[in-house]
Amino acid sequence: PKAEKGGRKTPSQTGKGLERLILTFEEKAYLPKKCKKGWGRKKGDQQEPRKQYQVVKKWQTEVEIIKRSCRKE
């Protein structure tokens, strides 16, 4: 009765109308984009070895850490 008089529509009527409206849009904008895969590593290439860092224990004082780093260099 509300819709016949030109009044407000019910939530279900609004949902149905919205679904019909959305289905009229062009799908291309919503489809996932295609992308090319990376080249990867070439044959025979090797990664550089990672830099090894000194293990620092929490209970050491700053003075001990400085002394240790000076001795190794």
Side-chain angles (χ1 to χ4, degrees):
K2 291 180 185 178
E4 291 174 358
K5 295 177 185 176
R8 301 179 80 188
K9 297 193 181 230
T10 64
S12 61
Q13 289 173 331
T14 306
K16 287 177 186 176
L18 180 65
E19 183 180 345
R20 287 187 202 113
L21 176 68
I22 291 174
L23 289 174
T24 61
F25 295 162
E26 191 175 333
E27 289 182 11
K28 187 176 179 184
Y30 301 101
L31 293 174
K33 308 281 188 256
K34 297 197 177 197
C35 61
K36 296 180 182 178
K37 292 189 176 182
W39 291 99
R41 251 184 256 139
K42 306 285 184 223
K43 264 192 174 174
D45 283 352
Q46 290 184 347
Q47 288 182 317
E48 294 180 15
R50 296 185 74 180
K51 183 178 177 184
Q52 297 293 320
Y53 292 95
Q54 176 187 355
V55 176
V56 180
K57 305 213 175 178
K58 281 185 174 181
W59 60 84
Q60 291 179 343
T61 63
E62 290 180 26
V63 177
E64 291 174 353
I65 295 169
I66 294 169
K67 284 180 184 176
R68 210 177 258 195
S69 65
C70 291
R71 274 190 251 150
K72 288 191 176 184
E73 290 177 0

